[in-house]
Amino acid sequence: MTTSRVDLDSERMGRDLVTLVLTVVELLRQLMERQALRRIDEGDLTEAQSDEIGTTLMMLDQRMAELCDQHGVRMEDLNLDLGPLGSLLPRN
């Protein structure tokens, strides 16, 4: 009977988990941004609502950058390669 050992590096696992969570948050942030831009383009929002959404999206983008810096993750690390489907996060 052979036993296999799994070497678990808790620091790396923690960083990988943070990267995964930040990837999901960034994906949701980008989806919200696209939805907001669509609504603005269609004229569904007042000027005040458009301004508020713009400010909120800028703050979310800044906070994502801060979280990445805080945890030593680059924004590029969040963009997963999905093989033939391309990358998860389109970057403008």
Side-chain angles (χ1 to χ4, degrees):
M1 181 183 287
T2 61
T3 59
S4 62
R5 287 188 164 182
V6 176
D7 233 356
L8 300 178
D9 179 359
S10 62
E11 185 175 317
R12 181 180 169 137
M13 284 178 42
R15 184 170 188 265
D16 289 347
L17 180 59
V18 166
T19 301
L20 177 61
V21 169
L22 289 175
T23 298
V24 171
V25 171
E26 178 62 10
L27 176 62
L28 292 173
R29 188 196 69 74
Q30 287 188 18
L31 291 172
M32 286 175 19
E33 182 176 325
R34 283 191 216 117
Q35 177 71 6
L37 291 174
R38 184 190 60 76
R39 290 188 65 198
I40 290 168
D41 287 344
E42 291 179 357
D44 291 346
L45 303 174
T46 65
E47 188 174 329
Q49 289 171 322
S50 295
D51 289 344
E52 186 175 343
I53 287 175
T55 301
T56 301
L57 290 172
M58 287 190 306
M59 290 171 55
L60 282 172
D61 190 52
Q62 180 181 3
R63 185 63 180 135
M64 276 301 296
E66 290 170 2
L67 286 169
C68 285
D69 286 344
Q70 182 181 2
H71 294 287
V73 177
R74 300 172 309 156
M75 288 299 287
E76 298 83 35
D77 297 336
L78 305 182
N79 199 358
L80 303 176
D81 180 9
L82 301 176
L85 298 175
S87 60
L88 177 66
L89 303 171
R91 294 307 281 179
N92 300 335

